[in-house]
Amino acid sequence: MMKRILFLLSLICPFMLSAQHVTKIAPLNGERWWGGMVALGSEMPFASNTRIYDLNKENHNNQTVPLLLSSAGRYVWGERPFRFQFKNDTICLSSDYEDLEVVLAGNTLKDAYMASSAKHFPFNGKVPESLFFSQPQYNTWIELMYDQNQKDILDYAHQALANGFPPGIFMVDDNWQRYYGNFDFKAEKFPDPKGMCDELHLMGFKIMLWIAPFISSDTPEFREMEQKGYLLKNKSDGNTAIVKWWNGYSACLDVTNPKAVEFFKSKLKTAMQRYGVDGFKFDAGDIYYMTGDYDFFDKTADKHLYSQRWAEIGASFPYNELRAAWKTGGMPIVQRLGDKAYSWRSSSLIIPDMSVAGLLGYAYTCPDMIGGGEFKSFLNIGDKKLDEELIVRSCQIHALMPMMQFSVAPWRVLSKENMAICCKYAWLHEQMGDYILECARNSAKTGEPIVRNMEYAFPHQGFEECKDQFMLGSRFLVTPMVKNGTEREVRLPKGVWRDDQGTKIRGPKTLTIEVPLNRLPYYERIK
């Protein structure tokens, strides 16, 4: 009999047999679930008989939160990472650390989110700098990649303004510094970094620099931080740990050590004073690269707390950006979606990923870079001409998001006509800046997302699977093109709506509309 029971359990939830804490949930009628991993938004709501999702092992290049939310007003929260699977009409949860409970908070997805946010990641009333929401961002990654240099950075900024784009936040990406852990510009690449920053400021830009928690070995900074005990150690021998990450092998700041954190922050503030930069892009912090058995300063810490503490350093600086985080919802941190490829498929992932970011407490999120931020997908193009339609549509998707970030230069890769379209929507973002900032301030007070999932905004009206339109706050329904072509279907909820061309339409109604390349359709709720 026991063997039969174990066999049946293995069919229902195969990971249950090795877990210490197991919970099985019977779904309610019509109930659907979201949560866990921002990068898997396109797989939500989760389908039955799906794979095992393990928050212990992977963050998929983005934010993770131990939270599941249902359209029937229920949620599951864990203080530590857990595994989950939807299989055979049963939700299987397992944890190595704690018993997991299902909480009934109401009868809608919004009820579940608002209750879980209020209890587990309350917003503190603060928002990131207003410029994030009201002006575009410009990142040098795709144009310069690892060849960051003063001449080309200034040329990028001048070209942006010369081609009619508004100034905003300017991010100098990886490989500007002498080596990792040092915060001086490479002298051979930047003959006058202070002069460069002064010039960017005169042009109207705020300046951010890429950084990571890694420290190059055999450097003065490494030796000083090792002597002070500020670097992560191996548990086996107590020696400084060497972590393999995407740029090689490095030591790592022990972000669970308060003195190490203050030392690190002091170095960043010195760089700000020396060069006049305004903040930093805090890259890495992924649990994926933390594969060793580490002796953290905080003996209760693990790789998830490491990720959380790295993100919290970012919150100390008004101009910040994070890509990986754990349980930092509600904080005034700018998050970014993980690097998206230059592809139509990646464009189609932006809306579901952004809406899930909102459902996990990351209201202040940027949808990666226009056209994609995964540099390898641009390398694969070779001498081929970029798909201009894809770049323009990507720009339109970003335009009415909380933030928009250029990297591949529209003035280099687009025709004059198509570049003008991108410029138009950069200015639309600027024109909508006051409203977007109002949404951000509302998030800081109430916890409500800026980008709202359609099921969240219009519960039980059949929007569970809607992944190509979203609400910007409570007022605008945005329906960009996420695949090539000039026609799409729009589903208007109940109410009276006015579209981007001034036409009033009463919902609920399903429309098939023409969307020429210069149009971004959106609908303002007027009643």
Side-chain angles (χ1 to χ4, degrees), residues 79-98:
E79 290 299 328
R80 302 287 297 276
F82 58 85
R83 293 170 290 272
F84 60 96
Q85 184 182 30
F86 299 82
K87 188 175 180 65
N88 298 330
D89 295 323
T90 300
I91 304 169
C92 306
L93 308 170
S94 77
S95 170
D96 297 330
Y97 311 101
E98 61 190 323

Side-chain angles (χ1 to χ4, degrees), residues 133-190:
F133 306 101
S134 59
Q135 299 290 117
Q137 302 167 22
Y138 301 88
N139 186 296
T140 59
W141 179 235
I142 297 300
E143 287 296 301
L144 304 182
M145 296 186 186
Y146 288 107
D147 186 25
Q148 303 294 317
N149 67 88
Q150 181 170 331
K151 177 181 179 299
D152 290 335
I153 285 169
L154 287 175
D155 182 65
Y156 187 108
H158 280 291
Q159 287 294 325
L161 300 189
N163 284 286
F165 288 78
I169 294 174
F170 196 97
M171 297 183 181
V172 178
D173 217 279
D174 186 10
N175 211 32
W176 61 272
Q177 60 205 111
R178 292 172 61 195
Y179 43 80
Y180 301 118
N182 173 275
F183 302 111
D184 291 319
F185 286 86
K186 290 182 176 181
E188 68 273 22
K189 296 285 188 178
F190 296 88

Side-chain angles (χ1 to χ4, degrees), residues 209-254:
L209 304 177
W210 180 100
I211 62 169
F214 300 112
I215 316 296
S216 297
S217 59
D218 194 24
T219 63
E221 288 79 3
F222 171 86
R223 288 187 282 275
E224 179 183 12
M225 296 178 74
E226 186 177 48
Q227 191 274 329
K228 291 177 180 293
Y230 292 167
L231 300 177
L232 195 59
K233 296 179 175 62
N234 293 316
K235 186 172 287 186
S236 59
D237 56 17
N239 292 327
T240 297
I242 299 298
V243 177
K244 182 182 180 182
W245 59 298
W246 67 83
N247 277 341
Y249 296 81
S250 304
C252 184
L253 180 73
D254 187 346

